[in-house]
Structure formats: structure tokens, C-alpha cells
Amino acid sequence: MLDVILAGVTKKYKDQVVVDDISLKIGNGELLALVGHSGCGKTTMLRLIAGLSQPDKGKILIGGQESARLKARKREIVMVFQENLLFPHLNVADNIAFGLKMGGVSKKERVKRAQEMLNLVRLPGLAGRYPSQLSGGQQQRVSLARALALEPKILLLDEPLSNLDPKLRDELRDLILLLHRRFKMTTVLVTHDRDEAMMMADRIAVMYYGSLLQVGKPVDIYCRPVSSEVANLFGQCNYITGFLKGSEFQTEDYRFTVPVLKKGGRVEACVRTEHIKIIRPISDRPSGVVIEKKFSGGYSLLKVSLGGMNLIAKDDNLFDLHVGDRVGLDIDWPQVHFNQV
Amino acid sequence: MKSVINSKKIMLIMITLLLFIPISVLLVWSFSRLWPSEALFPNKLGLRGWSYLLSPRSKVFSSLAVSLFISFVVTVLGLILSIPAGKALGQLNFPGKNIIEVLILAPIIIPTITIGMGIHIVFIKWGLADKILGVILVQLPLVLPYGVRIFASVFKALGEKWEEQAKTLKANVWQGFWYVVFPLIRPGIIGASILMFNVSFSQYFLTFLIGGGNVNTLPLLLFPFINGGDRVIASGIGLVFIIISLVFMFLLEKALGKGNDNSIGNFYYL
């Protein structure tokens, strides 16, 4: 297994900078999720690591070796594309054994390996089928099996779950995690789905218009986002600007008591919807009027007008609340992250 | 729904008739002895046409062999040149691309006479006139536009992703082409081959000009009979033409269209 180090990597397409001076270390055996909006350069990052594109500036070290100019087929890396790209003229077994065939592995060995891989992705008995005869989920599994057949030291997955329906998505996500734990290959997963990233990754790297905003463990990214862009990508946030001094957080209309922080001065509080609890209106807590309610099964999103601001709270439907009701808000301040502005 | 099926059926029948009526007229002509212009059907049938065509003195077989050789070589060379050219035009962006596209199309836009005269003079200097090689070379630019256009669209539709996938699965450039790209562009190869073969096979003027009467292909043999009004023999040769084209298409489909083609067919064409 190998680690990957990107040092000051920049990639331009024509005049547009797609990857802007990114430095990142992907540890040995780690599962790193690259997250960002579409067009932020995630896929380009994968292509650079895979060797399908060459960086304009910077170095890529794979297992400590300078590899920026190394050809894709000389790297111990396999990339699984978003549109699975199973070769339509080859059956499942030949698709899976394709990489082995290119490497000159004997036919007998290839057949054996293909069957092993099919068992691994839990599709035994489909060896003779053609890709057009498979469902989307099966195609994605075969595509994964084809990559794993080469025993790559580094596996690159470009939105592997994005074309699947929710149930298949959960299944395949668990399968990928299982395979990652078993083979311990360094894995880079590109996704725009925050839940996918949170649940799967050891670390998450957040990209925004070609730049890296934050790299860290899922819990850090979630609880301590460095900017509102990061916070927004990982769940809905209410932003409250105000003045922080000691344990007092003074906004335009309210004064909140918060845990003492090292920070001070003008700050922006990022209050997640689930950190605002709806309570009965009581005198020492701010109260407001419900102006919008979105019911979503296990919870509802309530928009509450509070002085000059509207806060969105995730309510677990304990009370039967309606638009126009007066409610109290209890903000879980220890969970709230402040950014200096 | 039913009326749609019916109208489709009627269309099919009409197209079939449109294709078959001229052929059946040729067939009747080739077996007739006497067919005055006022008669709806020939007065007398006979085998004069076919017995002449099948006899050695008609030179049908020798010119057929020359024609087949030239068209086959032209088609193969045409494929070898137009696959990479089509790939470059379909997938790459480079300065001067538009000009090259127009230049490649030029042979079908500009009258062949214009090109033919100039090339003839050059070929005489180079010693290529009156030779089969000269005829092959002069036909090549004429068939290339068809091949290049077809492969440009095929490669554009295909994109570079398949080759990239092959690359990350450790295929080198040739393996990537042979095992991945080639099977995917097979429908394009069939289409381009049929077009290029037929354009070459039915070429009269350039063969006549550059071949200078030394290279006798089937169209050269056919022309005097049409000109001289011997419709019986002209129809016979015409039928040979059609049969050769059909046989070529059939063999090509057999050779290249094999395997489970619906998997490719329903995937990027149309």
C-alpha cells in the first residue's frame, strides 16, 4: 500500500484554473473523501493522481516517488469512473480479467481470478453475462471487481454511487467499506454527497473552486468547519453574526450566554439546525413565531422568526406545531462553532 | 397504434419496390433477345447477354479481378488513413482544424475533372500513369472524405473515456486500441468500408484518365456497352456490379459484425 503526496499541484484547462495550488497528503491505507460542489475540480484531482492528466505545476509523490510525469499504466493505481465504463463487447468475466490480460496473466489464472472477484462483490454466476444485461448496481459492482482484480495499491473512485437508487447505494457503500477494510488499499473517493463522505471516509478534504478549504476527520469538518462554505456543504446552518466577549454573545436583538472561548470580537456563529431545540416559550429564552414548516417524516424543519432574523430548527415532531405558533428556542451553544469575521 | 404499424409496413414495401424495380428491369433486360421500345415486355428471351459475359473474350472476369483488387486495396488504405484522421478530428482541438476538415471534404465538392487533370500531369512525370498503383493512389483522396467523416463522428460520440479506462487498467496504446477501441468502432468500420469500396468500385473517370486504358476495371468495360446501346450486355454487367457490392457487404458484416453486437448497437449509435 502506498501513500500519495500532492505538493503545490496546479492544473489549468485553457485559461481556467481547475486545481489551484493544492497540497495534500493521503496516508497509507486511508480512505479519503474529496467533497465539493460539481465542477470544483474533484475529478481533475483524481485524474492527476491516476496519471490521466499531467499537472501544470507541482509534484505528485506516490509511495515517496516523484510521479507527476509517470504514465497511467505504470502506476499501481486503478480508477473507477463515474459511468462504470464496462466494455460492452466483453462479458463480465472478460471485463473483470481485462487488466490481468493486459498484464499477460494466463487464461486459466484469469478465469480463476475473475470468479474470485465476482464472489467478492457477491455476483457469482454472472460471469457469462454482457454489461447490457446487468442492472446499474450490478454494473457498478463489476466495475469495482474489475479494478480490484489488479490488486491496486491505490484505488480511485469517482462518484461510484451517484447513479444508483438509495437502497443499492447503501448496499454498495457498505461493500466498498468492507473491501477497503479487507484490502487496506489507499482509497480516494470523490463525492458530492455529504452523508456518503461522512459515513465512509477516514478523512474528508473539502474543495471549493479548485482550492482546498479544509482537510480533517468527518467529525472535525462537521463540528468545526473553517468557513461557511464548508459548513454549508455539511448540513444546514444558521448564521448569526454578533459580538463575542467572554461568555457573552451579543447580536442585534439578543444577548446569549455561551461557553467562554479564546475568540472574541466580531464573529459569525454557525448554528446547525439540529442544535436548536424547540421548547415552550419561557421568559429567559428567546422566543419567536413559526413562519414555515416542512414535514419530513422523522422530523420537521421549522423556520422561526426571531427579531430580525429567521432561524431554521430541526424539530423531532414532539409537539404538533403549526405556522403562527409561538415557540421558545434553546440553542445548544457548546456545539456551536464561531468563525472570526 | 395499428395505423402506425400499417403505415410503417407500407413505407417498407414502397422502399423495397423502389430498390427492386430497377434491378428487376436489369434482370429482364439481361435475359432478353429482342425488346422493342414500344413493347411493355421483351418479345423474345435469350441467353445472348450472359453467354457473352461468361465467355473469356468479354474480359468480364479479368476486369472484375482488377476492379476487386483496386477497390480492396483502396478500402484498406482508406481505413488505415481515415481511422487516425477521424480520431484526431473527432477528439482533438488544434489550430487549423476547420481548414483541414474542408480540405478533406474537397474531393467530393470539387469536380473530379479538376483534380484529375492536375494529378494526371504529375503522375506522368512520376511514372505512375497507366499503372494500377497510380489508379489506387488517385482513388484514395476520393474515398477518404467518407471514411474520415464517419470516423470523426464515431470517435466524437465515443469520447476518450474508454481509452482512459483501458489505460488505468494497464493497457498500452496498442492494447487499448485493439481490445477496446476497435470493437467499439466496428459499426463505423463496416459503414465506412462499404461506402469507400463502392465509391472506388464504381469509379469511372479517374480510372480511365490515370489508367489510360491499361487498367481495365469493370466500369470501363461497362461504359462502351451503355454508350453503344447494347442494353442486354450492359444490364448483365450492371447486375454483376450489384451482386459484387451485396457480396462485399455481406462478407464484411460476417467478418466484422460478429459477436453480441446488440450490446454495442444500442449503446452509442443513434
Side-chain angles (χ1 to χ4, degrees), chain A residues 33-97:
Chain A
L34 267 177
V35 186
H37 59 92
S38 61
C40 72
K42 297 169 296 193
T43 301
T44 307
M45 286 275 282
L46 275 202
R47 294 175 55 86
L48 288 168
I49 298 171
L52 295 172
S53 302
Q54 262 63 49
D56 295 316
K57 259 190 251 161
K59 282 183 180 175
I60 297 173
L61 296 144
I62 296 165
Q65 263 195 316
E66 161 70 43
S67 306
R69 314 259 162 243
L70 200 66
K71 279 185 180 167
R73 68 186 178 89
K74 301 278 184 202
R75 304 185 184 195
E76 290 181 273
I77 299 177
V78 177
M79 179 164 166
V80 177
F81 290 72
Q82 189 173 1
E83 322 97 300
N84 69 58
L85 298 182
L86 293 177
F87 304 131
H89 55 286
L90 299 178
N91 67 23
V92 165
D94 287 342
N95 258 294
I96 293 175

Side-chain angles (χ1 to χ4, degrees), chain B residues 178-217:
Chain B
W178 183 247
Y179 292 110
V180 177
V181 176
F182 179 73
L184 291 175
I185 64 169
R186 222 159 48 184
I189 292 178
I190 293 174
S193 300
I194 289 170
L195 263 178
M196 292 198 286
F197 184 87
N198 280 331
V199 168
S200 161
F201 198 64
S202 53
Q203 186 52 233
Y204 173 77
F205 177 72
L206 284 177
T207 315
F208 175 66
L209 187 71
I210 302 295
N214 278 341
V215 182
N216 280 309
T217 57

Side-chain angles (χ1 to χ4, degrees), chain A residues 183-298:
Chain A
F183 295 109
K184 301 251 182 300
M185 63 273 180
T186 309
T187 305
V188 183
L189 170 85
V190 159
T191 177
H192 62 260
D193 184 321
R194 62 195 167 97
D195 294 331
E196 204 174 295
M198 294 278 199
M199 284 192 250
M200 295 174 77
D202 297 321
R203 281 195 310 155
I204 293 174
V206 185
M207 283 185 76
Y208 192 73
Y209 289 109
S211 302
L212 216 49
L213 288 184
Q214 190 175 2
V215 184
K217 292 203 171 87
V219 61
D220 290 337
I221 301 264
Y222 185 75
C223 299
R224 282 175 288 282
V226 294
S227 67
S228 53
E229 284 86 11
V230 178
N232 266 334
L233 269 174
F234 294 90
Q236 210 170 0
C237 249
N238 297 288
Y239 298 102
I240 308 170
T241 49
F243 199 83
L244 187 67
K245 191 182 173 191
S247 67
E248 272 184 6
F249 180 48
Q250 176 72 49
T251 70
E252 239 168 83
D253 307 306
Y254 291 93
R255 176 177 290 178
F256 299 100
T257 308
V258 299
V260 179
L261 293 161
K262 281 178 192 156
K263 290 173 189 166
R266 268 198 82 71
V267 292
E268 183 183 60
C270 161
V271 187
R272 297 211 174 270
T273 51
E274 59 267 41
H275 295 151
I276 303 178
K277 208 169 154 195
I278 301 284
I279 51 171
R280 286 179 201 288
I282 41 175
S283 58
D284 64 334
R285 290 284 153 84
S287 66
V289 177
V290 177
I291 56 170
E292 195 182 291
K293 180 179 178 178
K294 285 181 193 153
F295 177 74
S296 174

